[in-house]
Amino acid sequence: MIIEIERLQLYYSAFHALKNVNLSIPENRVTAFIGPSGCGKSTLLRTLNRMNDTIPGVRIEGEVTIQGRNIYGSETEVEFLRKRVGMVFQQPNPFPKSIYDNVAYGPRLHGVTKKAELDGIVERSLRSASLWQEVKDVLKKSAWSLSGGQQQRLCIARALAVEPEILLMDESTSALDPISTTKIEELTRELREKYTIVMVTHNMHQAARISDRTVFFLNGEVVEASDTEALFRSPVDQRTEDYISGRFG
Amino acid sequence: MKAKTVDRIMTGVIVGVAVLIIAVLAGLLGYLLVRGLRHISLDFLLSPPQTIKAGGGIGPQLFNSLFLLVLTMIITIPLGLGAGIYMSEYAKPNRLTAFIRLIVEVLSSFPSIVVGLFGLLVIVNMFGLGFSLFSGALALTVFNLPLMVRITEQSLRSVPREQKEAGLALGLSRWRTITSVLLPVAIPSIVTGTILAAGRVFGEAAALLFTAGMSSPRLDFSDWNPLHHTSPLNPFRPAETLAVHIWKINSEGLAPDAAQIAAGASAVLVITVLIFNLGARWLGRVLYRKLTASK
């Protein structure tokens, strides 16, 4: 288990957004968080790289340990944590720079200066994000000239370039067309060989298609967490069954 | 009345108002330029003014205006950038922040003659800086700084939140995210705003009457040591700027060609401010293209 979450409580000012969450996330697997809007799945995802720190009024109790280290402990450096736990967002958000510079961005700011080394990182990352074939001749072009799906894969490449161990994907296909979505789904399957992937999706079918484990959230609580096949075939909790059979949400 | 008729009438009214405004502006500009352009020559731009004889120029005044602008910007840009970054990225949304923002707003709408008198009392007399370029620059700072703060804050705020999150998620510190993600996107609009604010500084007269003074010592344009008394670069000498010169020559000019000189100087002032405005747009566009690789 690469991530262990214990007795996690999260409040947005007075609102109790996550209620006593206990969860283990296995290494080199795709774990999907599903549940209706506002159930806390994105909030939990954003506690894993402490992106919630930027929101005023957030209070967190409990423990989140990644590889045995409490990431909310006083000795944890947020920058180092976020380097190890990469994130891809809902909207593709490449920087307004060239394709090359987008991928080289993180490594550069973390101290890689040699051109040859950067070239290597950029090619490797773009290959991992299955974008290299499409952009290898236009690396100097603006990232904003790419299509939405390409931009999202560029964002994945950008996240991979700083060599994280865990990749968080926050509804990363919800703004994309079906073909681009399929590409990213295939990519996600490939990436789990080397990375641990935690994804939030509002699309149950997507979770069923590509995840190894599925966690169902409702009103800030984990209702059920198990292997994807088991969860969809024979859910233990009545609420899970109601949700996956489309009775609400 | 039918909706379509009302629509037509209102369109006509709005177009009429727009035409009226453009006509007033064009008329004003045309009047200034037609009256003034005739008197502008290289000699006029470079030679010193005459008190009672005809044929004086505006050389020192033009230099003073530009030098004062540079001094003011040296003071306001770092302060304004710092405060703007603080307001947009560090300040928590609470009462204190709201209060600071209110003060900044009030400061920027101060009448400039009040700022001038404040400068006379506090900067010139109390701090003993005398009538000097430096006093003038400080007075101009009083109403240029709020503008700079607001320009910086708004430019940074208009950068999409997703960009900032992308930077943070890559493991960049907050400061690094500001300098390497937010600022490059915000810089074109900060630069444009700064130059536009500079135009206002350049044309300011009231705040300078009692701070930079209404006279200029004989300047020796071959002496560029800022510590010498007659050096143009000495920031602690009194200095009459172009806008102040126009005001003075119109109200108490003794030279027989005072009216022409005022007209010429006004035209120079207007043209310079126009160049600032056009330059700001151009530079903003160029920077945007440079910094964002969007060709």
Side-chain angles (χ1 to χ4, degrees), chain B residues 6-288:
Chain B
V6 175
D7 188 56
R8 263 201 212 130
I9 293 173
M10 287 322 288
T11 308
V13 169
I14 288 164
V15 169
V17 169
V19 167
L20 187 74
I21 291 171
I22 292 169
V24 168
L25 269 176
L28 202 66
L29 204 62
Y31 177 73
L32 278 170
L33 292 181
V34 166
R35 261 176 49 113
L37 276 180
R38 269 177 287 157
H39 303 283
I40 300 178
S41 62
L42 200 61
D43 189 49
F44 178 70
L45 291 179
L46 297 180
S47 61
Q50 298 290 344
T51 328
I52 36 181
K53 278 191 295 178
I58 53 164
Q61 281 74 21
L62 192 56
F63 176 84
N64 287 342
S65 283
L66 291 170
F67 188 38
L68 184 63
L69 179 65
V70 171
L71 279 179
T72 309
M73 287 305 168
I74 289 175
I75 302 173
T76 42
I77 290 177
L79 290 175
L81 272 180
I85 291 174
Y86 173 78
M87 293 300 280
S88 107
E89 299 304 315
Y90 288 86
K92 295 202 167 67
N94 56 27
R95 279 208 184 146
L96 180 69
T97 320
F99 184 65
I100 295 176
R101 202 164 277 131
L102 179 75
I103 300 232
V104 168
E105 301 270 314
V106 170
L107 217 56
S108 67
S109 52
F110 251 33
S112 53
I113 188 74
V114 176
V115 174
L117 287 170
F118 170 82
L120 175 67
L121 286 173
V122 175
I123 302 167
V124 174
N125 292 336
M126 210 165 113
F127 292 150
L129 287 168
F131 289 127
S132 66
L133 278 164
F134 192 62
S135 303
L138 287 178
L140 290 180
T141 298
V142 171
F143 56 55
N144 198 35
L145 189 58
L147 219 56
M148 275 304 298
V149 175
R150 212 162 50 183
I151 290 163
T152 310
E153 185 184 353
Q154 283 176 353
S155 305
L156 283 172
R157 270 182 200 280
S158 64
V159 179
R161 187 187 156 74
E162 290 80 24
Q163 290 286 318
K164 186 172 154 187
E165 291 197 322
L168 291 173
L170 282 178
L172 307 190
S173 64
R174 182 151 69 158
W175 177 241
R176 266 288 171 79
T177 305
I178 292 169
T179 54
S180 61
V181 178
L182 299 183
L183 276 179
V185 182
I187 277 249
S189 51
I190 293 178
V191 169
T192 310
T194 306
I195 299 178
L196 292 177
R200 207 186 135 193
V201 167
F202 194 78
E204 181 54 45
L208 296 174
L209 292 176
F210 310 119
T211 51
M214 285 183 273
S215 63
S216 199
R218 281 256 158 251
L219 295 181
D220 178 2
F221 278 92
S222 59
D223 180 3
W224 295 99
N225 184 340
L227 299 175
H228 288 177
H229 255 298
T230 54
S231 163
L233 284 186
N234 183 351
F236 294 103
R237 64 180 173 86
E240 182 190 38
T241 64
L242 199 54
V244 172
H245 187 61
I246 293 169
W247 176 80
K248 200 176 83 175
I249 219 170
N250 257 328
S251 51
E252 54 192 53
L254 295 175
D257 57 352
Q260 284 93 318
I261 290 175
S266 305
V268 170
L269 194 65
V270 168
I271 291 169
T272 315
V273 173
L274 266 179
I275 291 173
F276 278 173
N277 279 262
L278 296 175
R281 283 155 171 256
W282 173 79
L283 193 61
R285 265 205 313 274
V286 168
L287 279 176
Y288 184 77

Side-chain angles (χ1 to χ4, degrees), chain A residues 24 27 36 59 68 128 140-141 157 168 172 214-215 227:
Chain A
S24 301
E27 201 165 352
R59 206 171 85 243
S128 304
K140 294 281 163 232
K141 265 182 87 176
L168 310 176
S172 301
T214 299
V215 184
D227 286 345

